[in-house]
Amino acid sequence: MTCDLISMTFILYSRPFAWLILTFLSLFSFHQAPFDLILWTPLGLICVINFMIETYVSLSFITPGRKKKSFADAGWKQQYITVEGKKLNAVSFQQKDPSPLLFLIHGWRASSHSVGDRGRWFAQHGWHVVLVDLPNHGDSDNIPLWSAYKSMQYLALLCEQVSDIIPNKNVTQATYYGHSIGGFIGLRLLSQKKEIKISGRKFTKLILESPMTMYSPILEEIAARLRIPKPLLNLYRKRLIQRFNSTLSPRGTFDSMEDFDLPRWGLPTLPILCIQASPDNRLGLGHYERLLQSYEVENEGQFVTHHLVEGLTHSGAKINEERDQLISQWLEKEF
């Protein structure tokens, strides 16, 4: 944990620190040659602006913070799956007979425990279930710079190893269920050119609960909280994307904030059920509306079944009878 913290701090703040040093050097040089204003004034200004931008960018990489406990219950198995040297915690329930498989991913700053009751409901209805703690959440290891995209890459690799938990021969079909940012990750995961398979099966259905579908509003919240001056906003956004690309392996190719919003983020073409909390006290309804608009614009609205559920909250709604009934009815449909 200490090594992870030191590594993250170095990665985040090495650039601002470098610009801070250059700022002090320029001030020192100006002090040594105070009459050379034409040289030192613009140089010092460039250093100060870059120091501010890099500091804002570093502060924008929010870590999940204190971890919440993972899900545990009788009959459920906990297993660590190693992905790129990091251990991800997978909690699973396996039926005795061949059955459908649910791959269930929690939301931001939550854990498998947060969606445990949803998983238990599926298990009681005859499904294999795999709950995964995202990196930096629950009992999973930390990665230096957390992002939804990097977490998606880890999940893609983890899916390849789920057959070690639930053998291919025991799985009849596979469904992805994502809550909040877990839905955001799922939209990207199931839009990859390389088809993702889990226990030998491709995902044929997608369930989204109060999903995040845009990063732009989150970024605006961060920028407002940091009180970034308006003249610096465009440069800040550009530098943020550059830094984000540098955290990916291979290096990312994102070049606009629109790349992190639907429809560019991903529009998987498979049956989708969206259950939306109303009102949504965390994301509002803008993300839900963007999902529907994106599919309508692409003339693919037939893929999406959607419901606003009054009384369902964005967080903490572990048990909700109306949600469960809507899911049950949708699963019974022929697609």
Side-chain angles (χ1 to χ4, degrees):
M1 181 69 72
T2 302
C3 291
D4 287 339
L5 182 60
I6 293 174
S7 175
M8 182 184 70
T9 302
F10 175 78
I11 292 172
L12 282 176
Y13 296 102
S14 58
R15 296 186 188 185
F17 185 70
W19 280 108
L20 182 62
I21 291 175
L22 289 175
T23 300
F24 280 118
L25 287 176
S26 66
L27 290 173
F28 176 76
S29 299
F30 174 72
H31 178 74
Q32 295 297 106
F35 299 106
D36 201 352
L37 294 176
I38 296 178
L39 174 63
W40 301 120
T41 299
L43 181 60
L45 185 60
I46 290 172
C47 291
V48 169
I49 290 175
N50 276 280
F51 166 68
M52 293 175 63
I53 292 295
E54 291 295 344
T55 300
Y56 288 137
V57 168
S58 296
L59 292 173
S60 299
F61 282 89
I62 303 173
T63 59
R66 185 177 181 181
K67 293 183 174 183
K68 296 182 179 179
K69 65 180 181 179
S70 298
F71 180 71
D73 198 11
W76 291 73
K77 180 181 178 182
Q78 184 178 31
Q79 184 169 332
Y80 292 103
I81 297 178
T82 301
V83 177
E84 294 187 348
K86 298 293 184 179
K87 293 180 179 179
L88 299 185
N89 181 45
V91 185
S92 62
F93 186 93
Q94 184 172 176
Q95 303 291 341
K96 294 180 180 180
D97 300 318
S99 306
L101 168 65
L102 183 77
F103 190 62
L104 179 51
I105 306 299
H106 60 81
W108 170 250
R109 288 180 172 171
S111 70
S112 54
H113 183 267
S114 305
V115 292
D117 283 295
R118 297 169 178 83
R120 188 185 287 114
W121 183 88
F122 274 87
Q124 291 170 348
H125 285 75
W127 288 63
H128 304 301
V129 180
V130 176
L131 315 176
V132 178
D133 288 321
L134 292 171
N136 300 60
H137 293 75
D139 286 337
S140 289
D141 283 349
N142 293 338
I143 55 178
L145 292 179
W146 191 93
S147 70
Y149 189 86
K150 189 64 179 176
S151 294
M152 181 276 297
Q153 291 182 315
Y154 273 77
L155 289 183
L157 295 173
L158 180 143
C159 283
E160 297 175 0
Q161 301 185 55
V162 169
S163 57
D164 293 338
I165 302 174
I166 302 176
N168 296 2
K169 64 181 181 179
N170 291 343
V171 177
T172 58
Q173 60 173 292
T175 296
Y176 182 104
Y177 188 146
H179 174 251
S180 192
I181 206 169
F184 187 63
I185 291 171
L187 286 165
R188 185 74 186 194
L189 180 71
L190 301 188
S191 299
Q192 299 300 293
K193 292 181 179 179
K194 179 183 177 182
E195 193 170 58
I196 304 299
K197 290 188 176 181
I198 183 169
S199 288
R201 298 281 181 173
K202 65 179 183 178
F203 288 100
T204 56
K205 296 185 181 71
L206 171 61
I207 300 174
L208 304 171
E209 183 177 338
S210 302
M212 173 180 162
T213 62
M214 302 177 286
Y215 181 72
S216 294
I218 308 300
L219 181 62
E220 293 304 318
E221 289 181 19
I222 294 172
R225 188 165 60 249
L226 294 176
R227 298 183 179 181
I228 300 174
K230 288 185 178 180
L232 299 182
L233 279 174
N234 286 336
L235 182 57
Y236 157 74
R237 294 188 185 106
K238 182 178 180 180
R239 198 74 63 84
L240 182 66
I241 293 173
Q242 291 175 349
R243 180 81 72 87
F244 173 75
N245 283 332
S246 70
T247 69
L248 304 178
S249 179
R251 184 182 175 86
T253 57
F254 294 93
D255 58 15
S256 168
M257 288 311 305
E258 293 180 358
D259 291 339
F260 302 94
D261 297 344
L262 261 57
R264 291 191 188 180
W265 176 254
L267 286 179
T269 52
L270 71 170
I272 298 171
L273 172 65
C274 181
I275 303 292
Q276 175 62 48
S278 180
D280 189 319
N281 60 345
R282 176 59 190 93
L283 294 179
L285 294 181
H287 293 262
Y288 170 72
E289 293 165 354
R290 173 59 72 93
L291 174 74
L292 304 186
Q293 291 168 1
S294 297
Y295 274 92
E296 289 299 333
V297 167
E298 298 296 327
N299 294 318
E300 294 180 343
Q302 75 274 12
F303 287 107
V304 184
T305 302
H306 55 95
H307 301 278
L308 286 171
V309 179
E310 295 184 4
L312 177 65
T313 58
H314 183 89
S315 303
K318 297 180 180 180
I319 299 175
N320 184 281
E321 291 183 2
E322 183 177 357
R323 176 195 62 207
D324 296 345
Q325 184 178 8
L326 290 170
I327 291 174
S328 180
Q329 292 171 352
W330 182 75
L331 291 172
E332 291 174 358
K333 293 182 179 180
E334 295 290 337
F335 295 100

